[in-house]
């Protein structure tokens, strides 16, 4: 099948709403940081598949652990019952975050994680506004889409009539500072803007959501000081 035919069928069967096409290649297999297409062409994947495969493709340690678990038990819900690997994972996640008496919800995706975080902070704080960033992307579920500043999400949220409660701040991009400063002479004006916005809203803010490295906005790292 030619690449054009392949892409044409893809467009016919997959919803456009679930796709952001960046890579015109049909990927068949991968190892370490290399992906290989159906024609045998090799590419070095500097994106780790949207930062999802940061451990490298087909990492033998992970393959081994997954295979071992799949042979023992693919799934029995840890919500109805109990299982040891789920407990070990929860323990590890809590130790990584360093949150004292942390609580874990295991989810399916980034959207799911952000939906949960936003939902919980809104329910807990009972306040009105969320702070987020211009050009941010936090996922496709409703709370996550409402929190996203990227054009595609804004259009969807507008269409649903769900606009208005997210305030979009300038992302701290030191390479192309949206405030027009150069690094260090800025004295982190972007941080002051966050404080001013919270004051302007009389503290009626239930959360702030930020990508430490803005992804779809252009792979922009926030400075450590921020
Ligand atoms: C920064 C960021 N947050 C959330 C998501 C949503 O993750 P998922 O596609 O797993 O729902 C993405 C996906 O690209 C993302 O880049």
């Amino acid at each position: 099948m030619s690449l054009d035919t392949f892409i044409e069928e893809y467009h016919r069967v997959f919803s456009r709403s679930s796709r952001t096409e960046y890579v015109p290649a049909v990927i068949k297999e991968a190892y370490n940081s290399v992906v290989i297409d159906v024609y045998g062409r090799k590419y070095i994947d500097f994106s780790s598949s949207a930062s999802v495969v940061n451990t490298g493709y087909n990492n033998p340690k992970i393959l081994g652990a997954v295979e071992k678990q799949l042979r023992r038990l693919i799934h029995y819900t840890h919500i109805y019952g109990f299982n040891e690997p789920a407990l070990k994972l929860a323990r590890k996640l809590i130790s990584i975050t360093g949150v004292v008496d942390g609580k874990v919800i295991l989810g399916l995706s980034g959207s799911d994680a952000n939906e949960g975080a936003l939902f919980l902070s809104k329910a807990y704080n009972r306040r009105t506004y969320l702070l987020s960033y211009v050009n941010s992307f936090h996922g496709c579920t409703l709370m996550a889409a409402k929190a996203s500043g990227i054009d595609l999400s804004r259009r969807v949220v507008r269409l649903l009539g769900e606009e208005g409660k997210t305030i979009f701040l300038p992302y701290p991009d030191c390479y192309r500072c949206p405030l027009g400063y150069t690094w260090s002479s800025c004295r982190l004006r972007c941080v002051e803007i966050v404080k001013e916005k919270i004051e302007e809203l009389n503290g009626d803010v239930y959360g702030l959501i930020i990508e430490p490295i803005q992804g779809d906005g252009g792979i922009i790292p926030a400075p450590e000081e921020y």
Side-chain angles (χ1 to χ4, degrees):
M1 197 189 279
S2 77
L3 184 60
D4 286 348
T5 320
F6 198 97
I7 290 175
E8 194 196 327
E9 185 170 0
Y10 227 77
H11 288 166
R12 231 178 314 120
V13 302
F14 284 105
S15 166
R16 273 186 60 197
S17 66
S18 69
R19 299 194 36 77
T20 314
E21 280 181 20
Y22 289 131
V23 187
V26 185
I27 303 302
K28 190 176 177 193
E29 51 194 317
Y31 63 91
N32 299 340
S33 57
V34 174
V35 290
I36 307 167
D37 73 9
V38 285
Y39 307 109
R41 285 187 291 233
K42 291 183 179 177
Y43 306 83
I44 299 172
D45 180 9
F46 286 98
S47 80
S48 307
S49 189
S51 310
V52 171
V53 198
N54 296 323
T55 52
Y57 288 96
N58 299 13
N59 183 316
K61 245 175 118 173
I62 295 173
L63 280 186
V66 169
E67 188 187 347
K68 200 168 146 199
Q69 181 59 37
L70 288 183
R71 290 190 184 283
R72 187 182 292 146
L73 170 69
I74 291 183
H75 179 68
Y76 182 85
T77 171
H78 76 284
I79 293 169
Y80 287 3
F82 304 89
N83 75 59
E84 200 183 351
L87 181 61
K88 281 186 177 164
L89 175 60
R91 237 186 245 146
K92 186 156 192 174
L93 289 170
I94 291 171
S95 80
I96 290 170
T97 60
V99 176
V100 178
D101 198 24
K103 301 281 181 285
V104 172
I105 300 172
L106 297 178
L108 304 170
S109 66
S111 304
D112 190 352
N114 287 335
E115 190 80 6
L118 293 166
F119 191 92
L120 286 173
S121 51
K122 172 109 180 107
Y124 180 78
N125 285 315
R126 312 255 171 148
R127 295 185 194 136
T128 312
Y129 295 99
L130 175 73
L131 299 183
S132 179
Y133 289 84
V134 175
N135 285 335
S136 57
F137 180 69
H138 300 294
C140 301
T141 52
L142 188 55
M143 295 281 279
K146 286 202 277 187
S148 298
I150 209 157
D151 188 50
L152 175 73
S153 309
R154 298 311 328 133
R155 272 188 280 145
V156 171
V157 170
R158 246 193 322 272
L159 202 73
L160 296 173
E162 292 275 352
E163 276 187 298
K165 300 288 165 48
T166 308
I167 309 294
F168 296 99
L169 302 162
Y171 191 82
D173 176 355
C174 300
Y175 187 62
R176 295 186 181 87
C177 175
L179 305 174
Y181 289 98
T182 47
W183 174 243
S184 88
S185 74
C186 64
R187 294 168 190 251
L188 290 169
R189 174 77 190 111
C190 50
V191 175
E192 291 309 311
I193 286 178
V194 181
K195 294 179 189 164
E196 285 165 15
K197 189 50 81 178
I198 294 171
E199 274 167 29
E200 194 183 302
L201 297 167
N202 295 318
D204 191 13
V205 170
Y206 67 87
L208 179 151
I209 184 163
I210 182 167
E211 297 156 90
I213 299 172
Q214 197 172 67
D216 286 281
I219 321 284
I220 303 164
E224 216 161 307
E225 293 82 352
Y226 192 84

